[in-house]
């Protein structure tokens, strides 16, 4: 099996989540990813609990989540040996990923100009908190700060006076997704030009870039969206409803589905205040009361079966353990087994991308476990030496 990025070498100078996630995505598609860390390692090695493994050398499950398919080398970038090693890696690489605060890499002697002097074909991905220029360019950014500043928290939560963060570091993850996409585009362009380029994104840009209809509600219609809990602001009924023994979700995303749903549950689809989607959105409390009323007669399993029978999209709200024990998740190869040097066989959430000639998620036949700090110091130096002698 040929991996799409099997000939690409990625130098991952990033830490925390956005950059490492981008690098991991490239690694999942077959790229060789060399993670460059300080002597104390990526900050996420200390994020926890939970930790697993030996008590005197605990391993962060946070770190395990974003560093599979990588090799780890430790470098002191303020030392002559460290800068020499990084120069050799840059010369041998195809992609460099960094999420230092803007200007830090320049002060270490690795400006964009210098990087391209070492390797004109190098694609450079820079991920920042709020961008490198503008009135707040260079501002430090962490995920939850970006979620708030980019408006996401104002539209998330039970109501407008109770803003909530998303339950995962979504600004970081989106930054990584956008960054990896930009890298792949730049690598494709390199086939035409023979030269690399700089790709930039930020946590701010990543969140604003997925505002979708909530963004155009303001930019076109002048409406400021606010949080309204578990019901869609523009489609109804579409949200979380109560039944006899719990809660489940339905999505009537068209008038046809509404008519089918209402008729099946004894609701007149032309009821005043509910005859059109716009009516139902404006009269959401009436819709919630009506749907909860008919659902009160059903246990969740019976209700889900009934909804499936009539073709209404529906589902339960699963806990994380239920998700990873779900046979549908397993069928999509979203569970990935790797042999960790300390922990032995462990299961990781796998790549969300499947290719047609690969029975497993991702683009490689074998996935590597997240590395121990400095685990590949010797092997990477040996590889660079072989390149110097024309053996690689």
């Amino acid at each position: 099996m040929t991996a799409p990025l099997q000939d690409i070498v990625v130098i991952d100078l990033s830490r925390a989540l956005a950059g490492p996630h981008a690098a991991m995505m490239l690694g999942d598609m077959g790229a060789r990813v060399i993670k460059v860390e300080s002597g104390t390692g990526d900050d996420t090695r200390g994020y926890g609990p939970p930790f697993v493994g030996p008590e005197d050398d605990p391993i962060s499950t946070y770190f395990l989540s974003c560093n599979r398919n990588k090799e780890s080398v430790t470098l002191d970038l303020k030392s002559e040996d460290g800068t020499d090693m990084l120069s050799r890696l840059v010369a041998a690489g195809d992609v460099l990923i960094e999420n230092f605060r803007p200007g830090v890499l320049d002060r270490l002697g690795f400006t964009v100009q210098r990087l391209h002097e070492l390797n004109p074909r190098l694609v450079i991905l820079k991920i920042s908190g709020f961008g490198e220029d503008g009135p707040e360019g260079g501002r430090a950014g962490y995920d939850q700060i970006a979620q708030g500043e980019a408006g996401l928290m104002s539209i998330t939560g039970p109501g407008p006076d109770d803003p909530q963060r998303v339950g995962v570091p979504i600004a970081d993850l989106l930054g990584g997704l956008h960054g990896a996409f930009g890298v792949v585009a730049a690598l494709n362009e390199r086939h035409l030009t023979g030269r690399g380029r700089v790709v930039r994104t930020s946590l701010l840009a990543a969140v604003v870039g997925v505002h979708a209809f909530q963004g155009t509600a303001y930019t076109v219609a002048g409406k400021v969206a606010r949080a309204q809990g578990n019901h869609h602001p523009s489609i109804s009924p579409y949200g979380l409803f109560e039944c006899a023994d719990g809660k489940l979700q339905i999505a009537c995303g068209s008038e046809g589905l509404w008519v089918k749903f209402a008729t099946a549950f004894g609701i007149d689809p032309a009821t005043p205040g509910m005859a059109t989607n716009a009516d139902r959105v404006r009269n959401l409390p009436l819709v919630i009361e009506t749907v909860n009323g008919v659902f009160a007669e059903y246990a969740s399993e019976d209700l889900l079966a009934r909804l499936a029978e009539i073709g209404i999209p529906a589902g339960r709200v699963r806990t994380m353990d239920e998700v990873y024990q779900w046979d549908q998740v397993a069928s999509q190869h979203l569970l990935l087994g790797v042999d960790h040097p300390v922990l032995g066989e462990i299961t990781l959430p796998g790549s969300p991308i499947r290719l047609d000639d690969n029975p497993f998620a991702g683009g490689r036949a074998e996935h590597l476990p997240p590395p121990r700090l400095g685990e590949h110091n010797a092997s990477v130096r040996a590889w660079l030496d072989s390149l110097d002698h024309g053996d690689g």
Side-chain angles (χ1 to χ4, degrees):
M1 187 189 73
T2 301
L5 297 179
Q6 67 179 20
D7 295 326
I8 298 299
V9 176
V10 177
I11 312 305
D12 180 13
L13 292 178
S14 65
R15 65 264 187 259
L17 186 54
H21 190 77
M24 184 175 70
M25 290 182 65
L26 300 174
D28 284 346
M29 291 296 118
R32 180 180 186 181
V33 181
I34 299 173
K35 182 178 179 69
V36 177
E37 303 183 69
S38 70
T40 56
D42 188 325
D43 293 339
T44 60
R45 290 186 183 273
Y47 285 5
F51 295 101
V52 290
E55 291 186 8
D56 60 345
D57 189 17
I59 297 170
S60 164
T61 59
Y62 195 118
F63 178 83
L64 296 177
S65 76
C66 53
N67 287 289
R68 65 176 176 264
N69 292 321
K70 300 181 185 182
E71 302 165 58
S72 171
V73 299
T74 53
L75 297 180
D76 177 2
L77 296 182
K78 295 181 180 180
S79 72
E80 182 177 350
D81 177 71
T83 57
D84 176 67
M85 273 292 293
L86 181 56
S87 296
R88 296 172 70 193
L89 286 168
V90 167
D94 297 284
V95 178
L96 182 141
I97 300 175
E98 64 103 345
N99 62 353
F100 295 112
R101 287 186 67 171
V104 170
L105 202 57
D106 292 2
R107 292 193 291 273
L108 291 170
F110 292 94
T111 63
V112 169
Q113 180 180 352
R114 176 56 180 156
L115 291 170
H116 278 152
E117 287 173 355
L118 290 165
N119 184 351
R121 292 173 54 80
L122 187 70
V123 172
I124 303 166
L125 171 60
K126 291 177 171 286
I127 303 179
S128 60
F130 294 89
E132 296 193 16
D133 49 14
E136 298 188 43
R139 179 181 169 188
Y142 277 80
D143 175 84
Q144 189 162 331
I145 305 301
Q147 285 195 41
E149 291 277 27
L152 186 59
M153 289 176 66
S154 76
I155 56 173
T156 305
D161 298 322
D162 190 13
Q164 299 285 323
R165 65 183 290 275
V166 177
V168 295
I170 195 66
D172 279 332
L173 295 168
L174 289 170
L177 286 164
H178 291 311
F181 176 76
V183 164
V184 171
L187 287 172
N188 183 68
E189 180 189 50
R190 193 179 71 172
H191 288 301
L192 304 175
T193 66
R195 295 189 62 84
R197 69 155 64 236
V198 179
V199 176
R200 290 184 174 89
T201 191
S202 67
L203 306 191
L204 172 64
V207 175
V208 173
V210 296
H211 279 174
F213 64 89
Q214 299 282 34
T216 51
Y218 175 72
T219 62
V220 179
K223 179 181 178 181
V224 178
R226 301 301 298 271
Q228 61 179 62
N230 291 312
H231 291 274
H232 200 288
S234 299
I235 308 171
S236 179
Y238 187 133
L240 186 67
F241 295 90
E242 297 182 6
C243 57
D245 62 347
K247 302 177 187 293
L248 55 77
Q249 304 195 95
I250 63 169
C252 291
S254 69
E255 291 298 346
L257 283 173
W258 163 249
V259 171
K260 184 184 294 187
F261 169 78
T263 302
F265 286 93
I267 302 168
D268 180 359
T271 299
M274 296 195 297
T276 68
N277 180 70
D279 289 337
R280 294 189 297 275
V281 170
R282 295 188 187 102
N283 296 290
L284 182 59
L286 173 62
V287 175
I288 293 173
E289 180 183 5
T290 301
V291 174
N292 282 344
V294 297
F295 280 4
E297 302 175 11
Y298 293 85
S300 57
E301 288 298 325
D302 295 336
L303 183 53
L304 285 168
R306 175 66 174 144
L307 291 164
E309 179 184 349
I310 61 176
I312 303 299
R316 58 177 56 84
V317 177
R318 296 176 186 266
T319 58
M320 296 296 279
D321 56 326
E322 290 172 332
V323 171
Y324 287 110
Q325 294 168 18
W326 189 12
D327 55 1
Q328 184 62 22
V329 167
S331 78
Q332 300 307 298
H333 302 287
L334 294 172
L335 301 173
L336 178 65
V338 295
D339 186 7
H340 190 273
V342 174
L343 303 175
E345 286 291 333
I346 60 173
T347 300
L348 304 174
S351 169
I353 299 172
R354 295 175 69 185
L355 303 178
D356 57 2
D357 63 346
N358 187 349
F360 302 102
R364 58 196 300 156
E366 182 178 353
H367 291 270
L368 305 176
R372 299 291 282 154
L373 180 61
E375 181 180 348
H376 301 92
N377 283 343
S379 60
V380 169
R381 285 181 182 269
W383 168 65
L384 290 173
D385 289 343
S386 73
L387 296 179
D388 293 341
H389 291 92
D391 302 326

